[in-house]
Amino acid sequence: LRASAGFFRVRTAQGELECRMRGRLKRHRATTDLVVIGDEVEVEPISDREGVIVAVKARRTKFSRLHPTARGRPIEDVLVANLDRVFLTFSASVPPMNPRLLDRFLVIAEHNRIPATIVATKIDEPGALEALARFAPYAELGYEVLATSAHRGDGVDALRERMRGRISAVLGPSGAGKSSLLNAVQPGLALAVGEVSGPVRKGRHTTRVAELFALEGGGWVADTPGIRELASFAIPQRELASCFVEMREPARACAFADCLHDREPQCAVREAVARGNIRPERYDSYLRQLRNEDLCA
Ligand SMILES: Nc1nc2c(ncn2[C@@H]2O[C@H](COP(=O)(O)OP(=O)(O)OP(=O)(O)O)[C@@H](O)[C@H]2O)c(=O)[nH]1
Ligand SMILES: [Mg+2]
Ligand SMILES: [Zn+2]
């Protein structure tokens, strides 16, 4: 349910246990996180409150990014394991929605084959309805876009319905209103909420540690700390185009099977951009990710 400072809170049939990880397991630590929230584990209880994690089951899915290391082999940073869906949460007010960052979230979700719902928050704010226009292209791509207000209650029932009986995570930048939204879905959670402030109107990273919560209607949802950036070499170049849903079909018609849709001749993706079938902003996102140009959001 929660991992911090070498301790792992594990839900068992006998209640919750604070666990350490067995030393032998730790030595396998190589290029991925050994255990993260959402993982299914085997524990040996030490007392009625403490235990030791002795095994971690294979993950069905994971939402992960890659971190560069000095030695070149990136380390996988798994945010949540065994997810059925991610809710990519961005404000329709402040902080303003950053399409480049949303595209990165979507690419990671597509690459990990996790269905994504895009959640636009704070639609009660002045100007929010106009700001919703920035989300519209994603609905055209086939993503579900939910317009919500934690304060007024818009979209909250729909969100609760989507979360029911599943494991999901709410992801997005700090200050987007992730914790507020979960409080609206289930008031008993009473999660801490922070201000959006400063000249650049960013959140203050109020939520510090990702945590899975049991939902009253069944299922689990993770509140997560705001994410500033998603390292771009998360996706191998060859696999990137397939993570942009609108490129999949045209990419098959490129002259070269290994076309990266950059400067290659007879590229059907570039033709689709020229004809207006692929939005230039999304193609620009693609090129930036291909070239690692927007490491920071
Ligand atoms: N007007 C309005 N403000 C909201 C709404 N939801 C959240 N906010 C405000 O947005 C700010 C940030 O909310 P949080 O819920 O802490 O945002 P968060 O995404 O959890 O942020 P981190 O934990 O830092 O990642 C707070 O000042 C909230 O009051 C909403 O529906 N309407
Ligand atoms: Mg929060
Ligand atoms: Zn091409």
Side-chain angles (χ1 to χ4, degrees):
L1 304 182
R2 190 174 199 272
S4 114
F7 280 97
F8 303 90
R9 190 180 306 152
V10 180
R11 160 98 157 200
T12 75
Q14 282 80 44
E16 290 179 13
L17 298 179
E18 279 303 321
C19 296
R20 288 257 188 202
M21 199 138 68
R22 171 161 289 174
R24 192 155 41 82
L25 271 182
K26 274 190 236 165
R27 263 179 276 132
H28 291 293
R29 188 187 172 93
T31 51
T32 184
D33 290 300
L34 265 188
V35 59
V36 299
I37 65 165
D39 267 325
E40 290 173 23
V41 298
E42 269 174 45
V43 296
E44 284 174 5
I46 306 175
S47 67
D48 55 2
R49 304 217 352 240
E50 291 166 306
V52 177
I53 295 176
V54 297
V56 185
K57 300 243 173 93
R59 292 170 182 148
R60 286 183 287 115
T61 64
K62 63 196 171 178
F63 194 93
S64 65
R65 56 183 168 176
L66 292 189
H67 275 310
T69 58
R71 273 167 292 130
R73 215 154 66 128
I75 289 189
E76 187 178 34
D77 172 17
V78 181
L79 299 175
V80 191
N82 298 320
L83 282 173
D84 297 311
R85 177 171 295 274
V86 287
F87 293 94
L88 306 180
T89 306
F90 285 78
S91 164
S93 173
V94 290
M97 191 270 256
N98 176 345
R100 298 289 91 79
L101 185 60
L102 175 51
D103 288 339
R104 279 195 177 282
F105 273 105
L106 286 170
V107 161
I108 294 181
E110 294 291 344
H111 192 247
N112 289 295
R113 299 184 204 288
I114 302 173
T117 293
I118 297 168
V119 180
T121 61
K122 312 190 191 185
I123 61 161
D124 57 284
E125 287 279 329
L129 294 184
E130 294 77 72
L132 272 180
R134 307 183 69 190
F135 292 82
Y138 295 94
E140 279 167 32
L141 291 176
Y143 292 107
E144 181 181 42
V145 178
L146 279 182
T148 67
S149 164
H151 289 184
R152 213 169 54 190
D154 311 51
V156 170
D157 289 343
L159 200 58
R160 191 184 299 113
E161 203 47 56
R162 305 288 185 286
M163 291 177 173
R164 191 189 306 277
R166 305 223 171 86
I167 304 177
S168 55
V170 179
L171 304 169
S174 179
K178 302 179 294 297
S179 303
S180 302
L181 211 48
L182 290 182
N183 284 339
V185 164
Q186 188 160 304
L189 291 176
L191 303 170
V193 163
E195 292 295 299
V196 175
S197 60
V200 285
R201 299 183 300 174
K202 290 204 167 153
R204 289 176 164 179
H205 293 276
T206 306
T207 304
R208 291 275 162 190
V209 179
E211 185 165 352
L212 265 182
F213 299 100
L215 291 166
E216 282 154 13
W220 298 85
V221 67
D223 190 17
T224 65
I227 292 174
R228 261 173 287 226
E229 57 94 22
L230 294 163
S232 57
F233 21 84
I235 312 295
Q237 279 194 324
R238 299 249 151 271
E239 293 164 36
L240 187 60
S242 69
C243 298
F244 285 75
V245 289
E246 70 275 49
M247 290 191 189
R248 287 176 190 162
E249 183 71 32
R252 279 190 247 153
C254 292
F256 298 95
D258 60 353
C259 187
L260 287 177
H261 325 299
D262 185 1
R263 296 194 175 108
E264 295 85 350
Q266 291 166 278
C267 169
V269 169
R270 278 214 322 274
E271 281 161 23
V273 177
R275 262 191 259 111
N277 294 337
I278 291 175
R279 294 180 75 90
E281 296 85 356
R282 287 272 294 174
Y283 180 61
D284 179 56
S285 255
Y286 169 77
L287 288 181
R288 284 170 189 241
Q289 291 195 42
L290 193 69
R291 296 171 188 161
N292 279 349
E293 272 175 5
D294 63 339
L295 278 174
C296 294

